[in-house]
C-alpha cells in the first residue's frame, strides 16, 4: 500500500512538472528550443559579426549570445531578436530564426561564444576577428553549388576551416539542393552540415537559381547578409578589397518583376562609383564581384553562359538594358567570381568576348579587362558538368574535378587564386596571380 501511495505521489509530481514546463515553452520539447544551424556573417561593417541560428519553436525569451576572450569566462552578452519563418509548402512548417549582432569587437582577437536563451544553449564555438585596417591579407574559401546530398568537398572544407586556413567563406549560390524541400527540413539538414564551417567563420553568400522557390524565401530568411535587401545584393570592405555580391537570378525569374533588375542595376552603379572614388580606390584597389550565373562558360549543358549573348552580360532585349559586363568594365572590376556550372573554369582577361591580356608573356599582370572564374564544383546531387571538347580562345584552364577555390588578397598589388581538387586528395590543380601596379580603371588605361 505504501509503495502504491509513493507511486501516485511521484506520478502527480511528474505531471505537475510536465504541465509547468509545457506552459513555459508553449508545449515544446527541450530540443525544439535548442539552438541549431549556427552561422556567422559580416555585418555592414566587417568588424561586426552577426550570429544567426534556428529553433523549431519560439523560446518566448530574448535571443542571447554570451562571448568573451577567455573560454571559461564569457563576460559579454549581446541581445537580439527571433523572427518566425513559415515555409511555403503545404505543411506550412514553422521555425524561429534568431539574429544577434556583436559590435565593437577587438581586431585580430580570438573570441569564444555560445548562443541561445535560458531554455537552451548551443555548444561553445570560437571565431577570430579580422584586422580593422586595409593592410592585411584575407584568405577565403570560394565555391558554389554545394548540396546536402553528395557534398563532395564538405569534409575537407570543414577540416580546413577548423585548422584556421581561412578568414571567411564565399558561397556563390545554390545551397542544399534545395533548401525548401521536405517542407524545409532538407534546408535544416544542410545548415547543420555547414555549421562546422559557418559557426567559426563568416559565411558570406550569393543567391542562386536553386533558391528561387517561394520568391527566394528560404535564402532571405536563413542568411544574414549586410545591407537592406535580404542578402540579394550587398557589398562590404575586406582588407584591400571591395567585395560586391549580386543576384544574377533577377534576370532569369522575371515572373517576380522587372523592377528588381532596375533597382539592382542602379544600386550597383552607385556602389561601383563610390568604390572608384579616389579616396576609396587608393585604399582598396581590388574590386571583386560574386554572382551565381557566369557570363561565359564552355560546358555542354546549354546553359545561358554557353550562348553568345548571356543575359547578365548583354542585358535585356534589343536595347541591352541593365547589361552588367559594360558596367564591370567601366568601373574596373578586377575579379568576377561565379558558380552554377558544376566545374571550374578560369578565363583570360576578357571583355565583350575579346581577350585583353596584360601582355603575351604575363597575361594577368596589369590585365586590361576583368578576370572571370567559375567555381561551382563543390559537390551536389546533380554531380558534374562536362566541357565541350575544344578549348575556346577565351578560356585559360578548366577542370570538372570536385573541388573549391582558395583566394588570397595578398596586398594592394597582388591577388592569388588556386583551385583544389577533392578528387585528387586536395591537390592544387590551378594556381595563378593577378598583379597590378596602378589603381586606374580599364577606360583610364586606354586613354
Amino acid at each position: 500500500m505504501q509503495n502504491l501511495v509513493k507511486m501516485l505521489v511521484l506520478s502527480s509530481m511528474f505531471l505537475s512538472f510536465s504541465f509547468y514546463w509545457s506552459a513555459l515553452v508553449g508545449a515544446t520539447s527541450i530540443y525544439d528550443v535548442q539552438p541549431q544551424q549556427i552561422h556567422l556573417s559580416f555585418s555592414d561593417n566587417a568588424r561586426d559579426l552577426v550570429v544567426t541560428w534556428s529553433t523549431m519553436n519560439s523560446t518566448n525569451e530574448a535571443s542571447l549570445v554570451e562571448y568573451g576572450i577567455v573560454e571559461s569566462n564569457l563576460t559579454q552578452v549581446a541581445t537580439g531578436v527571433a523572427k518566425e519563418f513559415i515555409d511555403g509548402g503545404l505543411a506550412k512548417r514553422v521555425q524561429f530564426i534568431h539574429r544577434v549582432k556583436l559590435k565593437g569587437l577587438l581586431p585580430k582577437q580570438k573570441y569564444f561564444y555560445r548562443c541561445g536563451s535560458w531554455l537552451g544553449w548551443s555548444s561553445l564555438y570560437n571565431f577570430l576577428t579580422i584586422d580593422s585596417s586595409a593592410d592585411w591579407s584575407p584568405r577565403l574559401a570560394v565555391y558554389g553549388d554545394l548540396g546536402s546530398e553528395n557534398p563532395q568537398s564538405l569534409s575537407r572544407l570543414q577540416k580546413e576551416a577548423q585548422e584556421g586556413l581561412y578568414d571567411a567563406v564565399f558561397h556563390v549560390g545554390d545551397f542544399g539542393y534545395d533548401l525548401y524541400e521536405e517542407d524545409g527540413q532538407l534546408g535544416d539538414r544542410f545548415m547543420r552540415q555547414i555549421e562546422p564551417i559557418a559557426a567559426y567563420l563568416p559565411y558570406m553568400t550569393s543567391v542562386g537559381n536553386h533558391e528561387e522557390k517561394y520568391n527566394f524565401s528560404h535564402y532571405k530568411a536563413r542568411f544574414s547578409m549586410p545591407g537592406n535587401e535580404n542578402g540579394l545584393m550587398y557589398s562590404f570592405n575586406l582588407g584591400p578589397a571591395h567585395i560586391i555580391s549580386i543576384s544574377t537570378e533577377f534576370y532569369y525569374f522575371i515572373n517576380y518583376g522587372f523592377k528588381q533588375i532596375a533597382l539592382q542595376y542602379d544600386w550597383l552603379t552607385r556602389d561601383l562609383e563610390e568604390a572608384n572614388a579616389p579616396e576609396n580606390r587608393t585604399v582598396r584597389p581590388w574590386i571583386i564581384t560574386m554572382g551565381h550565373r557566369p557570363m561565359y562558360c564552355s560546358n555542354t549543358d546549354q546553359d545561358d553562359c554557353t550562348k553568345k549573348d548571356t543575359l547578365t552580360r548583354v542585358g535585356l532585349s534589343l536595347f541591352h538594358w541593365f547589361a552588367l559586363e559594360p558596367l564591370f568594365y567601366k568601373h574596373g572590376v578586377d575579379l568576377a567570381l561565379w558558380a552554377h556550372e558544376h566545374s571550374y573554369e578560369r578565363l583570360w582577361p576578357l571583355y565583350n568576348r575579346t581577350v585583353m591580356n596584360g601582355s603575351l608573356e604575363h597575361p594577368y599582370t596589369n590585365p586590361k579587362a576583368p578576370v572571370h572564374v567559375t567555381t561551382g564544383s563543390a559537390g551536389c546531387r546533380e554531380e558534374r558538368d562536362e566541357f565541350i571538347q575544344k578549348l575556346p580562345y577565351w578560356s585559360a584552364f578548366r577542370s570538372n574535378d570536385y573541388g573549391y577555390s582558395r583566394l588570397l588578397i595578398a596586398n594592394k598589388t597582388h591577388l592569388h587564386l588556386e583551385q583544389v581538387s577533392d578528387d585528387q586528395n586536395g591537390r592544387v590543380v590551378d594556381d595563378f596571380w593577378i598583379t597590378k601596379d596602378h589603381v586606374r580603371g580599364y577606360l583610364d588605361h586606354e586613354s
Side-chain angles (χ1 to χ4, degrees), residues 3 41 45-46 52 56 59 115 117 121 136 142 194 197 208 237 288 309 348 390 392 404 421 428:
N3 289 337
S41 57
N45 184 336
T52 306
M56 294 301 104
T59 62
C115 60
S117 70
W121 292 97
W136 66 287
V142 184
I194 65 169
I197 304 170
N237 295 321
I288 300 171
D309 294 331
W348 301 116
K390 184 178 180 181
Y404 52 93
S421 168
V428 173

Side-chain angles (χ1 to χ4, degrees), residues 297-302 305-306 341 343 345 353 385-395 398 400:
C297 68
S298 62
N299 299 88
T300 61
D301 53 17
Q302 301 301 306
C305 56
T306 66
E341 302 304 310
S343 54
E345 187 163 19
R353 303 184 69 85
D385 286 335
E386 300 298 327
F387 292 106
I388 60 174
Q389 187 171 359
K390 184 178 180 181
L391 184 72
Y393 66 90
W394 39 260
S395 182
R398 55 192 189 175
N400 70 350

Side-chain angles (χ1 to χ4, degrees), residues 172-320:
V172 195
D174 282 4
F175 306 81
Y177 282 71
D178 290 343
L179 297 175
Y180 78 92
E181 291 188 9
E182 302 172 31
D183 298 307
Q185 293 183 80
L186 190 150
D188 295 343
R189 286 202 302 275
F190 176 76
M191 298 302 292
R192 290 193 293 267
Q193 284 174 289
I194 65 169
E195 187 176 291
I197 304 170
Y200 297 89
L201 295 173
Y203 202 89
M204 308 307 291
T205 60
S206 288
V207 69
N209 58 296
H210 277 269
E211 285 69 71
E212 177 270 337
K213 197 72 170 180
Y214 314 128
N215 196 6
F216 304 95
S217 64
H218 275 267
Y219 175 84
K220 294 174 183 177
R222 290 177 183 272
F223 295 104
S224 306
M225 295 299 110
N228 302 309
E229 300 296 336
N230 294 311
L232 297 174
M233 61 185 101
Y234 64 91
S235 66
F236 62 99
N237 295 321
L238 190 64
H242 182 66
I243 312 296
I244 303 172
S245 176
I246 61 170
S247 170
T248 57
E249 304 317 296
F250 290 162
Y251 289 79
Y252 297 93
F253 294 105
I254 58 175
N255 51 305
Y256 297 120
F258 286 96
K259 185 179 179 181
Q260 59 190 3
I261 304 174
L263 287 174
Q264 176 174 257
Y265 188 85
D266 289 344
W267 171 85
L268 180 58
T269 300
R270 293 193 305 272
D271 191 85
L272 286 167
E273 288 173 349
E274 183 178 352
N276 274 282
E279 63 273 19
N280 294 327
R281 193 82 197 243
T282 302
V283 175
R284 292 184 171 86
W286 297 109
I287 297 179
I288 300 171
T289 64
M290 57 177 179
H292 185 59
R293 301 199 204 202
M295 295 182 184
Y296 302 89
C297 68
S298 62
N299 299 88
T300 61
D301 53 17
Q302 301 301 306
D303 281 346
D304 195 32
C305 56
T306 66
K307 300 175 175 60
K308 182 178 179 181
D309 294 331
T310 308
L311 279 178
T312 52
R313 190 175 77 79
V314 304
L316 304 179
S317 82
L318 296 175
F319 299 102
H320 302 299

Side-chain angles (χ1 to χ4, degrees), residues 1-16:
M1 187 68 178
Q2 288 181 339
N3 289 337
L4 180 60
V5 170
K6 288 181 180 179
M7 289 178 63
L8 289 171
V9 170
L10 289 172
S11 297
S12 176
M13 291 173 62
F14 176 77
L15 288 171
S16 297

Side-chain angles (χ1 to χ4, degrees), residues 42 44 46 130-140 170 235-244 271-272 275-276 280-289 332-335 337 407-416 436 439:
F42 291 126
D44 295 292
I130 63 171
D131 193 326
S132 58
S133 74
D135 298 317
W136 66 287
S137 305
R139 305 159 303 156
L140 309 167
F170 291 176
S235 66
F236 62 99
N237 295 321
L238 190 64
H242 182 66
I243 312 296
I244 303 172
D271 191 85
L272 286 167
N276 274 282
N280 294 327
R281 193 82 197 243
T282 302
V283 175
R284 292 184 171 86
W286 297 109
I287 297 179
I288 300 171
T289 64
V333 169
D334 297 288
L335 176 63
L337 299 169
L407 174 61
L408 170 68
I409 310 170
N411 52 41
K412 294 181 180 181
T413 59
H414 289 70
L415 185 153
H416 181 242
K436 61 180 185 178
V439 296

Side-chain angles (χ1 to χ4, degrees), residues 143-147 171-174 177 292 339-342 376-380:
Y143 52 85
D145 301 79
L146 179 66
H171 188 146
V172 195
D174 282 4
Y177 282 71
H292 185 59
H340 191 58
E341 302 304 310
H342 301 164
S377 58
C380 66

